[in-house]
Amino acid sequence: MVDTDTGLRILENLNTAVLRFDRGLRLNYINPAGEMLFAASAKQITGQTVEELLPHSGQFTAVLRRSYESGNPYTEREVQLILVNQQTITVDCTVTPLNEPHQENGLLMELLQLDRHLRIAREETLLAQYQTTRTLIRGMAHEIKNPLGGLRGAAQLLERELPDPKLKEYTQVIIGEADRLQNLLNRMLGPNTLPYKRLINIHEIVERVYTLLEAEASEGIKITKDYDPSIPEFKADPDQLIQAVLNIARNALQAMEGNGKITLQTRIQRNVAFGQRHHKNIACINVIDDGPGISPKMIENIFYPLITGRAEGTGLGLPIAQSLVNQHGGLIEYSSHPGKTVFTLLLPLETDYEQ
Ligand SMILES: Nc1ncnc2c1ncn2[C@@H]1O[C@H](COP(=O)(O)OP(=O)(O)OP(=O)(O)O)[C@@H](O)[C@H]1O
Ligand SMILES: [Mg+2]
């Protein structure tokens, strides 16, 4: 039998969220993992009923009440819960009614968040996707560029020898198209300059994007800012990051077809692992839109070059943004449903990456 102190210490260090409710199903204990999950401090939410904690998950809270009243424990896997801040999380849940003699009745709830694992798996996939594409494009570009240069050169020589200047029209087509292809290849290869880093404030980047977007957006588009001013300065190439955020935000603008809301949000995330590195502090730029969402047919592939859902799109905006952020040791991840699409730029604060 462990003493109360040890028991409490164990609870406080668990990765599983543990919540205890009293007779009225009001919260009277939550461990730190629970506070993280609900993104609220124990002080803020102690005393709330389950319905107040999970106002959008009526079915789930009804099951809890039934379990409490009947005294039967209850377990469910992969339950989707909607938090007060509208964030959806997936959890494995176990509920145990507490009715020991001489003790106040209550209910114990354990929640193990699954999304975090899903998210990490997805991040690994995004990085792998990016690296495979880059290798593929490098190889292909090399094979195309040499003959293309030869073709262009030959057309130029031919042009000089042409007896009739009218025929130049044709050599000009060859030269023009060769240049267009060369350009496309260069864009597909991504940034060819190393980032020129200096100490910057993340809001320099977001404010600039805000101004550019405001100028481009039609009247029906509302652009809002939601900043965390406490994010410390870090070393980055502002031009490259502006380009990355702009590529993402422009997609949102285009997806919304003249009506809707875009939010530019900055946040800090702590203790995040991706790319086999653990990062203590990560600055995040979220670009959120309430447009129709990414088409399910493309959602897994949008970071591959030339994948586009728009007639006039080249499908390079996102892969370019990904390589720019990658040059900063970061990653872009995303989630999308009709009505809510979020692209997140994750930028590690503590590492001064040079690639
Ligand atoms: N916020 C969004 N909402 C809906 N669909 C999106 C969103 N962002 C991206 N997409 C989809 O992903 C596709 C790929 O985007 P990407 O920026 O790579 O290329 P593009 O916008 O089509 O062309 P380019 O940026 O090169 O002009 C888009 O065509 C669009 O279908
Ligand atoms: Mg684009």
Side-chain angles (χ1 to χ4, degrees):
M1 181 88 186
V2 289
D3 59 60
T4 322
D5 260 9
T6 317
L8 201 61
R9 214 155 351 110
I10 293 174
L11 271 177
E12 303 271 303
N13 286 295
L14 276 181
N15 262 326
T16 311
V18 178
L19 290 82
R20 187 184 191 284
F21 295 92
D22 67 12
R23 256 185 312 153
L25 287 195
R26 284 182 185 280
L27 184 72
N28 64 8
Y29 172 78
I30 181 163
N31 70 347
E35 293 180 299
M36 289 264 285
L37 189 77
F38 282 86
S41 69
K43 221 166 147 190
Q44 286 170 324
I45 54 177
T46 303
Q48 289 192 355
T49 61
V50 271
E51 287 82 5
E52 283 166 338
L53 266 180
L54 297 164
H56 312 287
S57 307
Q59 254 184 337
F60 178 73
T61 51
V63 174
L64 284 194
R65 284 214 176 259
R66 245 176 290 146
S67 162
Y68 173 67
E69 276 150 24
S70 65
N72 293 325
Y74 162 80
T75 299
E76 192 176 341
R77 293 200 176 279
E78 298 191 19
V79 196
Q80 295 230 320
L81 298 179
I82 306 167
L83 304 180
V84 177
N85 63 8
Q86 299 283 340
Q87 192 196 345
T88 308
I89 54 168
T90 313
V91 292
D92 280 349
C93 165
T94 304
V95 173
T96 317
L98 301 171
N99 35 18
E100 290 131 32
H102 316 301
Q103 293 226 349
E104 200 194 354
N105 285 356
L107 192 82
L108 195 68
M109 179 158 91
E110 296 159 64
L111 301 173
L112 182 65
Q113 191 177 2
L114 300 174
D115 313 51
R116 264 195 81 76
H117 303 293
L118 296 177
R119 218 188 93 179
I120 289 167
R122 172 178 206 116
E123 280 155 357
E124 301 293 313
T125 317
L126 278 174
L127 273 177
Q129 217 177 55
Y130 165 73
Q131 259 126 25
T132 323
T133 335
R134 224 174 135 71
T135 318
L136 193 86
I137 292 177
R138 280 226 173 113
M140 202 183 74
H142 183 75
E143 289 302 310
I144 298 177
K145 271 187 168 177
N146 286 341
L148 199 63
L151 240 140
R152 192 188 191 280
Q156 268 177 324
L157 288 177
L158 185 67
E159 195 170 271
R160 278 190 230 144
E161 306 293 325
L162 286 177
D164 181 354
K166 269 199 199 148
L167 293 173
K168 277 193 180 170
E169 203 183 305
Y170 300 111
T171 44
Q172 280 304 314
V173 171
I174 302 175
I175 293 168
E177 290 297 287
D179 286 347
R180 201 172 61 86
L181 253 173
Q182 175 82 34
N183 233 325
L184 178 73
L185 281 176
N186 287 341
R187 287 189 63 207
M188 279 174 76
L189 279 171
N192 58 1
T193 48
L194 281 176
Y196 178 66
K197 291 184 182 177
R198 62 178 172 81
L199 210 56
I200 57 155
N201 182 317
I202 198 164
H203 298 109
E204 248 179 69
I205 298 163
V206 198
E207 274 294 299
R208 189 60 195 291
V209 173
Y210 176 82
T211 318
L212 291 167
L213 276 190
E214 275 279 300
E216 284 175 28
S218 56
E219 258 183 32
I221 306 271
K222 191 171 178 326
I223 304 166
T224 53
K225 312 179 202 177
D226 174 6
Y227 297 166
D228 174 353
S230 72
I231 300 175
E233 292 193 329
F234 63 106
K235 272 182 125 185
D237 181 330
D239 291 334
Q240 291 199 346
L241 293 184
I242 288 168
Q243 183 65 54
V245 184
L246 201 58
N247 284 6
I248 291 170
R250 280 203 177 118
N251 284 346
L253 259 189
Q254 286 153 354
M256 290 198 299
E257 294 175 345
N259 259 309
K261 185 172 145 186
I262 299 181
T263 308
L264 298 176
Q265 192 180 59
T266 57
R267 288 288 182 271
I268 201 151
Q269 279 189 31
R270 298 191 199 282
N271 297 322
V272 182
F274 66 78
Q276 278 145 20
R277 286 179 79 115
H278 173 262
H279 302 278
K280 246 183 167 167
N281 290 306
I282 284 204
C284 298
I285 304 178
N286 295 316
V287 180
I288 308 165
D289 74 71
D290 62 357
I294 302 164
S295 134
K297 274 192 290 186
M298 304 194 324
I299 191 152
E300 293 298 329
N301 301 322
I302 49 167
F303 277 96
Y304 284 119
L306 308 183
I307 299 285
T308 178
R310 297 187 301 116
E312 67 287 12
T314 57
L316 290 177
L318 289 177
I320 288 174
Q322 186 73 281
S323 32
L324 291 170
V325 172
N326 216 258
Q327 294 218 61
H328 288 78
L331 181 80
I332 302 176
E333 59 167 19
Y334 61 104
S335 73
S336 179
H337 312 282
K340 189 169 184 193
T341 297
V342 185
F343 278 83
T344 303
L345 274 82
L346 301 165
L347 299 162
L349 287 180
E350 76 278 13
T351 38
D352 186 12
Y353 238 76
E354 301 294 347
Q355 271 190 346

mmCIF file of all heavy atoms in Angstrom, residues 187 247-256 287 289 291-295 298 302-310 312-320 336 341-343, ligand 1:
data_model
loop_
_atom_site.group_PDB
_atom_site.id
_atom_site.type_symbol
_atom_site.label_atom_id
_atom_site.label_comp_id
_atom_site.label_asym_id
_atom_site.label_seq_id
_atom_site.Cartn_x
_atom_site.Cartn_y
_atom_site.Cartn_z
ATOM 1 N N ARG A 187 12.220 26.251 -59.867
ATOM 2 C CA ARG A 187 11.236 26.422 -58.786
ATOM 3 C C ARG A 187 10.992 25.099 -58.084
ATOM 4 O O ARG A 187 10.818 25.032 -56.878
ATOM 5 C CB ARG A 187 9.919 26.978 -59.340
ATOM 6 C CG ARG A 187 10.026 28.439 -59.717
ATOM 7 C CD ARG A 187 8.676 29.020 -60.039
ATOM 8 N NE ARG A 187 7.765 29.013 -58.922
ATOM 9 C CZ ARG A 187 6.438 28.971 -59.024
ATOM 10 N NH1 ARG A 187 5.878 28.911 -60.204
ATOM 11 N NH2 ARG A 187 5.692 28.981 -57.964
ATOM 12 N N ASN A 247 2.711 31.763 -49.210
ATOM 13 C CA ASN A 247 2.243 30.679 -50.082
ATOM 14 C C ASN A 247 1.033 29.979 -49.460
ATOM 15 O O ASN A 247 0.066 29.645 -50.143
ATOM 16 C CB ASN A 247 3.350 29.643 -50.299
ATOM 17 C CG ASN A 247 4.409 30.127 -51.264
ATOM 18 O OD1 ASN A 247 4.382 31.274 -51.697
ATOM 19 N ND2 ASN A 247 5.354 29.269 -51.594
ATOM 20 N N ILE A 248 1.098 29.767 -48.163
ATOM 21 C CA ILE A 248 0.012 29.069 -47.473
ATOM 22 C C ILE A 248 -1.236 29.947 -47.401
ATOM 23 O O ILE A 248 -2.349 29.509 -47.680
ATOM 24 C CB ILE A 248 0.480 28.675 -46.057
ATOM 25 C CG1 ILE A 248 1.534 27.592 -46.181
ATOM 26 C CG2 ILE A 248 -0.670 28.226 -45.187
ATOM 27 C CD1 ILE A 248 2.248 27.284 -44.911
ATOM 28 N N ALA A 249 -1.011 31.213 -47.028
ATOM 29 C CA ALA A 249 -2.151 32.106 -46.860
ATOM 30 C C ALA A 249 -2.827 32.385 -48.210
ATOM 31 O O ALA A 249 -4.055 32.515 -48.278
ATOM 32 C CB ALA A 249 -1.688 33.401 -46.208
ATOM 33 N N ARG A 250 -2.037 32.454 -49.269
ATOM 34 C CA ARG A 250 -2.632 32.672 -50.598
ATOM 35 C C ARG A 250 -3.524 31.504 -50.977
ATOM 36 O O ARG A 250 -4.582 31.684 -51.575
ATOM 37 C CB ARG A 250 -1.545 32.837 -51.660
ATOM 38 C CG ARG A 250 -0.970 34.210 -51.672
ATOM 39 C CD ARG A 250 -0.338 34.543 -53.024
ATOM 40 N NE ARG A 250 0.133 35.923 -52.996
ATOM 41 C CZ ARG A 250 1.398 36.283 -53.132
ATOM 42 N NH1 ARG A 250 2.333 35.363 -53.320
ATOM 43 N NH2 ARG A 250 1.732 37.554 -53.083
ATOM 44 N N ASN A 251 -3.097 30.296 -50.640
ATOM 45 C CA ASN A 251 -3.954 29.126 -50.911
ATOM 46 C C ASN A 251 -5.297 29.278 -50.214
ATOM 47 O O ASN A 251 -6.341 28.971 -50.780
ATOM 48 C CB ASN A 251 -3.287 27.853 -50.406
ATOM 49 C CG ASN A 251 -2.172 27.393 -51.316
ATOM 50 O OD1 ASN A 251 -2.058 27.852 -52.444
ATOM 51 N ND2 ASN A 251 -1.361 26.491 -50.813
ATOM 52 N N ALA A 252 -5.238 29.757 -48.962
ATOM 53 C CA ALA A 252 -6.474 29.931 -48.203
ATOM 54 C C ALA A 252 -7.365 30.949 -48.905
ATOM 55 O O ALA A 252 -8.561 30.724 -49.106
ATOM 56 C CB ALA A 252 -6.156 30.372 -46.781
ATOM 57 N N LEU A 253 -6.751 32.058 -49.317
ATOM 58 C CA LEU A 253 -7.505 33.098 -50.034
ATOM 59 C C LEU A 253 -8.176 32.508 -51.279
ATOM 60 O O LEU A 253 -9.359 32.729 -51.532
ATOM 61 C CB LEU A 253 -6.538 34.174 -50.525
ATOM 62 C CG LEU A 253 -6.408 35.465 -49.775
ATOM 63 C CD1 LEU A 253 -5.573 36.447 -50.570
ATOM 64 C CD2 LEU A 253 -7.764 36.073 -49.483
ATOM 65 N N GLN A 254 -7.385 31.740 -52.040
ATOM 66 C CA GLN A 254 -7.906 31.182 -53.294
ATOM 67 C C GLN A 254 -9.008 30.168 -53.025
ATOM 68 O O GLN A 254 -9.982 30.090 -53.765
ATOM 69 C CB GLN A 254 -6.761 30.540 -54.087
ATOM 70 C CG GLN A 254 -5.861 31.582 -54.727
ATOM 71 C CD GLN A 254 -4.430 31.089 -54.953
ATOM 72 O OE1 GLN A 254 -4.070 29.987 -54.535
ATOM 73 N NE2 GLN A 254 -3.617 31.895 -55.603
ATOM 74 N N ALA A 255 -8.859 29.409 -51.940
ATOM 75 C CA ALA A 255 -9.860 28.368 -51.645
ATOM 76 C C ALA A 255 -11.191 28.993 -51.260
ATOM 77 O O ALA A 255 -12.247 28.395 -51.458
ATOM 78 C CB ALA A 255 -9.355 27.469 -50.526
ATOM 79 N N MET A 256 -11.145 30.211 -50.711
ATOM 80 C CA MET A 256 -12.373 30.775 -50.157
ATOM 81 C C MET A 256 -13.246 31.497 -51.169
ATOM 82 O O MET A 256 -14.366 31.834 -50.860
ATOM 83 C CB MET A 256 -12.045 31.670 -48.987
ATOM 84 C CG MET A 256 -11.576 30.809 -47.835
ATOM 85 S SD MET A 256 -11.638 31.654 -46.311
ATOM 86 C CE MET A 256 -10.553 32.943 -46.670
ATOM 87 N N VAL A 287 -2.059 29.267 -39.851
ATOM 88 C CA VAL A 287 -2.904 29.989 -40.816
ATOM 89 C C VAL A 287 -4.212 29.199 -40.880
ATOM 90 O O VAL A 287 -4.236 28.054 -41.313
ATOM 91 C CB VAL A 287 -2.231 30.054 -42.201
ATOM 92 C CG1 VAL A 287 -3.120 30.793 -43.190
ATOM 93 C CG2 VAL A 287 -0.878 30.735 -42.103
ATOM 94 N N ASP A 289 -8.259 28.909 -41.951
ATOM 95 C CA ASP A 289 -9.318 29.482 -42.773
ATOM 96 C C ASP A 289 -10.607 28.679 -42.628
ATOM 97 O O ASP A 289 -10.584 27.524 -42.213
ATOM 98 C CB ASP A 289 -8.887 29.585 -44.252
ATOM 99 C CG ASP A 289 -8.860 28.249 -44.965
ATOM 100 O OD1 ASP A 289 -9.947 27.689 -45.227
ATOM 101 O OD2 ASP A 289 -7.757 27.757 -45.264
ATOM 102 N N GLY A 291 -12.710 28.081 -45.099
ATOM 103 C CA GLY A 291 -13.134 27.735 -46.458
ATOM 104 C C GLY A 291 -13.593 26.279 -46.563
ATOM 105 O O GLY A 291 -13.808 25.622 -45.554
ATOM 106 N N PRO A 292 -13.700 25.766 -47.789
ATOM 107 C CA PRO A 292 -14.282 24.439 -48.003
ATOM 108 C C PRO A 292 -13.383 23.276 -47.584
ATOM 109 O O PRO A 292 -13.828 22.139 -47.524
ATOM 110 C CB PRO A 292 -14.480 24.394 -49.529
ATOM 111 C CG PRO A 292 -13.473 25.360 -50.067
ATOM 112 C CD PRO A 292 -13.355 26.441 -49.048
ATOM 113 N N GLY A 293 -12.105 23.552 -47.276
ATOM 114 C CA GLY A 293 -11.188 22.479 -46.893
ATOM 115 C C GLY A 293 -10.517 21.867 -48.113
ATOM 116 O O GLY A 293 -10.937 22.083 -49.244
ATOM 117 N N ILE A 294 -9.467 21.105 -47.853
ATOM 118 C CA ILE A 294 -8.719 20.474 -48.944
ATOM 119 C C ILE A 294 -9.514 19.272 -49.434
ATOM 120 O O ILE A 294 -10.035 18.502 -48.627
ATOM 121 C CB ILE A 294 -7.336 20.012 -48.455
ATOM 122 C CG1 ILE A 294 -6.567 21.198 -47.891
ATOM 123 C CG2 ILE A 294 -6.550 19.333 -49.561
ATOM 124 C CD1 ILE A 294 -5.376 20.821 -47.060
ATOM 125 N N SER A 295 -9.576 19.121 -50.742
ATOM 126 C CA SER A 295 -10.367 18.018 -51.282
ATOM 127 C C SER A 295 -9.803 16.677 -50.797
ATOM 128 O O SER A 295 -8.593 16.461 -50.820
ATOM 129 C CB SER A 295 -10.339 18.123 -52.810
ATOM 130 O OG SER A 295 -10.085 16.881 -53.364
ATOM 131 N N MET A 298 -7.020 14.812 -52.538
ATOM 132 C CA MET A 298 -5.640 15.290 -52.596
ATOM 133 C C MET A 298 -4.978 15.407 -51.239
ATOM 134 O O MET A 298 -3.777 15.626 -51.157
ATOM 135 C CB MET A 298 -5.600 16.692 -53.206
ATOM 136 C CG MET A 298 -6.231 16.795 -54.557
ATOM 137 S SD MET A 298 -5.783 18.331 -55.339
ATOM 138 C CE MET A 298 -5.734 19.421 -53.969
ATOM 139 N N ILE A 302 -0.760 16.879 -50.951
ATOM 140 C CA ILE A 302 -0.597 18.277 -51.351
ATOM 141 C C ILE A 302 0.832 18.797 -51.245
ATOM 142 O O ILE A 302 1.145 19.811 -51.833
ATOM 143 C CB ILE A 302 -1.534 19.222 -50.574
ATOM 144 C CG1 ILE A 302 -1.426 18.933 -49.101
ATOM 145 C CG2 ILE A 302 -2.964 19.138 -51.068
ATOM 146 C CD1 ILE A 302 -2.064 20.007 -48.269
ATOM 147 N N PHE A 303 1.698 18.095 -50.505
ATOM 148 C CA PHE A 303 3.071 18.597 -50.407
ATOM 149 C C PHE A 303 3.969 18.055 -51.507
ATOM 150 O O PHE A 303 5.144 18.388 -51.572
ATOM 151 C CB PHE A 303 3.661 18.317 -49.019
ATOM 152 C CG PHE A 303 3.249 19.366 -48.029
ATOM 153 C CD1 PHE A 303 2.170 19.172 -47.191
ATOM 154 C CD2 PHE A 303 3.919 20.589 -47.985
ATOM 155 C CE1 PHE A 303 1.770 20.161 -46.306
ATOM 156 C CE2 PHE A 303 3.529 21.582 -47.107
ATOM 157 C CZ PHE A 303 2.453 21.369 -46.267
ATOM 158 N N TYR A 304 3.421 17.214 -52.379
ATOM 159 C CA TYR A 304 4.197 16.787 -53.545
ATOM 160 C C TYR A 304 4.121 17.882 -54.596
ATOM 161 O O TYR A 304 3.067 18.500 -54.775
ATOM 162 C CB TYR A 304 3.620 15.498 -54.141
ATOM 163 C CG TYR A 304 3.958 14.257 -53.353
ATOM 164 C CD1 TYR A 304 2.954 13.478 -52.789
ATOM 165 C CD2 TYR A 304 5.279 13.862 -53.198
ATOM 166 C CE1 TYR A 304 3.265 12.329 -52.080
ATOM 167 C CE2 TYR A 304 5.593 12.726 -52.490
ATOM 168 C CZ TYR A 304 4.595 11.959 -51.928
ATOM 169 O OH TYR A 304 4.904 10.847 -51.226
ATOM 170 N N PRO A 305 5.229 18.110 -55.335
ATOM 171 C CA PRO A 305 5.175 19.139 -56.370
ATOM 172 C C PRO A 305 4.186 18.769 -57.469
ATOM 173 O O PRO A 305 3.951 17.581 -57.716
ATOM 174 C CB PRO A 305 6.588 19.164 -56.942
ATOM 175 C CG PRO A 305 7.403 18.257 -56.117
ATOM 176 C CD PRO A 305 6.525 17.455 -55.247
ATOM 177 N N LEU A 306 3.639 19.770 -58.088
ATOM 178 C CA LEU A 306 2.717 19.647 -59.221
ATOM 179 C C LEU A 306 1.348 19.094 -58.851
ATOM 180 O O LEU A 306 0.534 18.816 -59.717
ATOM 181 C CB LEU A 306 3.318 18.801 -60.363
ATOM 182 C CG LEU A 306 4.713 19.224 -60.851
ATOM 183 C CD1 LEU A 306 5.148 18.363 -62.015
ATOM 184 C CD2 LEU A 306 4.728 20.681 -61.253
ATOM 185 N N ILE A 307 1.083 18.935 -57.562
ATOM 186 C CA ILE A 307 -0.260 18.524 -57.142
ATOM 187 C C ILE A 307 -1.068 19.798 -56.938
ATOM 188 O O ILE A 307 -0.737 20.623 -56.081
ATOM 189 C CB ILE A 307 -0.218 17.722 -55.814
ATOM 190 C CG1 ILE A 307 0.598 16.447 -55.980
ATOM 191 C CG2 ILE A 307 -1.620 17.438 -55.291
ATOM 192 C CD1 ILE A 307 -0.075 15.354 -56.746
ATOM 193 N N THR A 308 -2.088 19.958 -57.734
ATOM 194 C CA THR A 308 -2.891 21.173 -57.627
ATOM 195 C C THR A 308 -4.363 20.875 -57.841
ATOM 196 O O THR A 308 -4.716 19.919 -58.536
ATOM 197 C CB THR A 308 -2.414 22.243 -58.648
ATOM 198 O OG1 THR A 308 -3.259 23.383 -58.534
ATOM 199 C CG2 THR A 308 -2.463 21.734 -60.080
ATOM 200 N N GLY A 309 -5.202 21.687 -57.206
ATOM 201 C CA GLY A 309 -6.635 21.522 -57.393
ATOM 202 C C GLY A 309 -7.191 22.696 -58.171
ATOM 203 O O GLY A 309 -8.389 22.830 -58.346
ATOM 204 N N ARG A 310 -6.281 23.593 -58.609
ATOM 205 C CA ARG A 310 -6.751 24.798 -59.295
ATOM 206 C C ARG A 310 -6.308 24.772 -60.747
ATOM 207 O O ARG A 310 -5.173 24.375 -61.050
ATOM 208 C CB ARG A 310 -6.169 26.041 -58.619
ATOM 209 C CG ARG A 310 -6.611 26.204 -57.176
ATOM 210 C CD ARG A 310 -6.158 27.512 -56.593
ATOM 211 N NE ARG A 310 -4.716 27.674 -56.627
ATOM 212 C CZ ARG A 310 -4.078 28.603 -57.327
ATOM 213 N NH1 ARG A 310 -4.768 29.467 -58.053
ATOM 214 N NH2 ARG A 310 -2.769 28.678 -57.295
ATOM 215 N N GLU A 312 -5.444 27.118 -62.682
ATOM 216 C CA GLU A 312 -4.277 27.945 -63.003
ATOM 217 C C GLU A 312 -3.124 27.732 -62.015
ATOM 218 O O GLU A 312 -2.125 28.439 -62.047
ATOM 219 C CB GLU A 312 -4.676 29.432 -63.108
ATOM 220 C CG GLU A 312 -5.126 30.127 -61.851
ATOM 221 C CD GLU A 312 -6.520 29.716 -61.352
ATOM 222 O OE1 GLU A 312 -7.093 28.715 -61.848
ATOM 223 O OE2 GLU A 312 -7.024 30.368 -60.454
ATOM 224 N N GLY A 313 -3.243 26.723 -61.150
ATOM 225 C CA GLY A 313 -2.192 26.467 -60.155
ATOM 226 C C GLY A 313 -1.040 25.670 -60.740
ATOM 227 O O GLY A 313 -1.215 24.898 -61.683
ATOM 228 N N THR A 314 0.173 25.867 -60.157
ATOM 229 C CA THR A 314 1.289 25.046 -60.620
ATOM 230 C C THR A 314 1.585 23.923 -59.628
ATOM 231 O O THR A 314 2.373 23.037 -59.903
ATOM 232 C CB THR A 314 2.581 25.880 -60.803
ATOM 233 O OG1 THR A 314 2.863 26.507 -59.549
ATOM 234 C CG2 THR A 314 2.438 26.913 -61.882
ATOM 235 N N GLY A 315 0.974 23.999 -58.450
ATOM 236 C CA GLY A 315 1.206 22.945 -57.455
ATOM 237 C C GLY A 315 2.591 23.015 -56.846
ATOM 238 O O GLY A 315 3.139 22.015 -56.402
ATOM 239 N N LEU A 316 3.167 24.223 -56.799
ATOM 240 C CA LEU A 316 4.507 24.349 -56.224
ATOM 241 C C LEU A 316 4.530 25.155 -54.925
ATOM 242 O O LEU A 316 5.512 25.139 -54.200
ATOM 243 C CB LEU A 316 5.458 25.003 -57.237
ATOM 244 C CG LEU A 316 5.808 24.141 -58.446
ATOM 245 C CD1 LEU A 316 6.692 24.905 -59.409
ATOM 246 C CD2 LEU A 316 6.513 22.865 -58.002
ATOM 247 N N GLY A 317 3.437 25.844 -54.650
ATOM 248 C CA GLY A 317 3.403 26.722 -53.470
ATOM 249 C C GLY A 317 3.753 25.982 -52.185
ATOM 250 O O GLY A 317 4.612 26.429 -51.412
ATOM 251 N N LEU A 318 3.108 24.849 -51.950
ATOM 252 C CA LEU A 318 3.331 24.140 -50.687
ATOM 253 C C LEU A 318 4.694 23.452 -50.609
ATOM 254 O O LEU A 318 5.380 23.592 -49.595
ATOM 255 C CB LEU A 318 2.199 23.141 -50.419
ATOM 256 C CG LEU A 318 0.861 23.789 -50.047
ATOM 257 C CD1 LEU A 318 -0.220 22.735 -49.867
ATOM 258 C CD2 LEU A 318 0.995 24.611 -48.775
ATOM 259 N N PRO A 319 5.126 22.717 -51.668
ATOM 260 C CA PRO A 319 6.460 22.122 -51.551
ATOM 261 C C PRO A 319 7.552 23.171 -51.364
ATOM 262 O O PRO A 319 8.505 22.945 -50.612
ATOM 263 C CB PRO A 319 6.662 21.364 -52.863
ATOM 264 C CG PRO A 319 5.470 21.603 -53.692
ATOM 265 C CD PRO A 319 4.421 22.228 -52.852
ATOM 266 N N ILE A 320 7.388 24.345 -51.983
ATOM 267 C CA ILE A 320 8.394 25.397 -51.779
ATOM 268 C C ILE A 320 8.361 25.871 -50.327
ATOM 269 O O ILE A 320 9.390 25.994 -49.669
ATOM 270 C CB ILE A 320 8.174 26.576 -52.757
ATOM 271 C CG1 ILE A 320 8.571 26.148 -54.166
ATOM 272 C CG2 ILE A 320 8.970 27.804 -52.325
ATOM 273 C CD1 ILE A 320 8.273 27.163 -55.250
ATOM 274 N N SER A 336 -7.411 19.467 -42.083
ATOM 275 C CA SER A 336 -8.433 20.163 -42.869
ATOM 276 C C SER A 336 -9.771 19.437 -42.847
ATOM 277 O O SER A 336 -9.840 18.225 -43.043
ATOM 278 C CB SER A 336 -7.927 20.289 -44.305
ATOM 279 O OG SER A 336 -8.878 20.933 -45.102
ATOM 280 N N THR A 341 -9.583 24.771 -41.945
ATOM 281 C CA THR A 341 -8.301 24.240 -42.412
ATOM 282 C C THR A 341 -7.207 24.981 -41.661
ATOM 283 O O THR A 341 -7.245 26.200 -41.551
ATOM 284 C CB THR A 341 -8.158 24.467 -43.927
ATOM 285 O OG1 THR A 341 -9.193 23.740 -44.583
ATOM 286 C CG2 THR A 341 -6.813 23.984 -44.446
ATOM 287 N N VAL A 342 -6.273 24.216 -41.103
ATOM 288 C CA VAL A 342 -5.183 24.827 -40.356
ATOM 289 C C VAL A 342 -3.854 24.349 -40.918
ATOM 290 O O VAL A 342 -3.616 23.149 -41.018
ATOM 291 C CB VAL A 342 -5.239 24.427 -38.858
ATOM 292 C CG1 VAL A 342 -4.176 25.179 -38.073
ATOM 293 C CG2 VAL A 342 -6.606 24.674 -38.268
ATOM 294 N N PHE A 343 -3.013 25.285 -41.305
ATOM 295 C CA PHE A 343 -1.629 24.966 -41.654
ATOM 296 C C PHE A 343 -0.757 25.540 -40.548
ATOM 297 O O PHE A 343 -0.939 26.686 -40.151
ATOM 298 C CB PHE A 343 -1.238 25.600 -42.993
ATOM 299 C CG PHE A 343 -1.702 24.796 -44.180
ATOM 300 C CD1 PHE A 343 -2.997 24.919 -44.652
ATOM 301 C CD2 PHE A 343 -0.850 23.906 -44.803
ATOM 302 C CE1 PHE A 343 -3.430 24.172 -45.738
ATOM 303 C CE2 PHE A 343 -1.275 23.148 -45.882
ATOM 304 C CZ PHE A 343 -2.561 23.276 -46.355
HETATM 305 N N1 LIG B 1 -6.396 26.331 -47.344
HETATM 306 C C1 LIG B 1 -6.726 25.482 -48.322
HETATM 307 N N2 LIG B 1 -8.021 25.134 -48.535
HETATM 308 C C2 LIG B 1 -8.353 24.273 -49.527
HETATM 309 N N3 LIG B 1 -7.482 23.699 -50.377
HETATM 310 C C3 LIG B 1 -6.179 23.994 -50.219
HETATM 311 C C4 LIG B 1 -5.726 24.886 -49.191
HETATM 312 N N4 LIG B 1 -4.385 24.959 -49.269
HETATM 313 C C5 LIG B 1 -4.016 24.171 -50.301
HETATM 314 N N5 LIG B 1 -5.077 23.596 -50.872
HETATM 315 C C6 LIG B 1 -5.057 22.671 -52.026
HETATM 316 O O1 LIG B 1 -3.731 22.220 -52.221
HETATM 317 C C7 LIG B 1 -3.328 22.425 -53.559
HETATM 318 C C8 LIG B 1 -1.830 22.584 -53.635
HETATM 319 O O2 LIG B 1 -1.426 23.847 -53.174
HETATM 320 P P1 LIG B 1 -0.081 24.516 -53.721
HETATM 321 O O3 LIG B 1 0.070 25.846 -53.093
HETATM 322 O O4 LIG B 1 1.047 23.550 -53.555
HETATM 323 O O5 LIG B 1 -0.339 24.670 -55.275
HETATM 324 P P2 LIG B 1 -1.348 25.665 -56.019
HETATM 325 O O6 LIG B 1 -1.866 26.677 -55.079
HETATM 326 O O7 LIG B 1 -2.327 24.826 -56.718
HETATM 327 O O8 LIG B 1 -0.384 26.340 -57.093
HETATM 328 P P3 LIG B 1 0.734 27.471 -56.834
HETATM 329 O O9 LIG B 1 0.785 27.738 -55.381
HETATM 330 O O10 LIG B 1 1.998 26.853 -57.306
HETATM 331 O O11 LIG B 1 0.286 28.619 -57.632
HETATM 332 C C9 LIG B 1 -4.149 23.619 -54.024
HETATM 333 O O12 LIG B 1 -4.305 23.620 -55.423
HETATM 334 C C10 LIG B 1 -5.472 23.403 -53.303
HETATM 335 O O13 LIG B 1 -6.290 22.540 -54.046
#
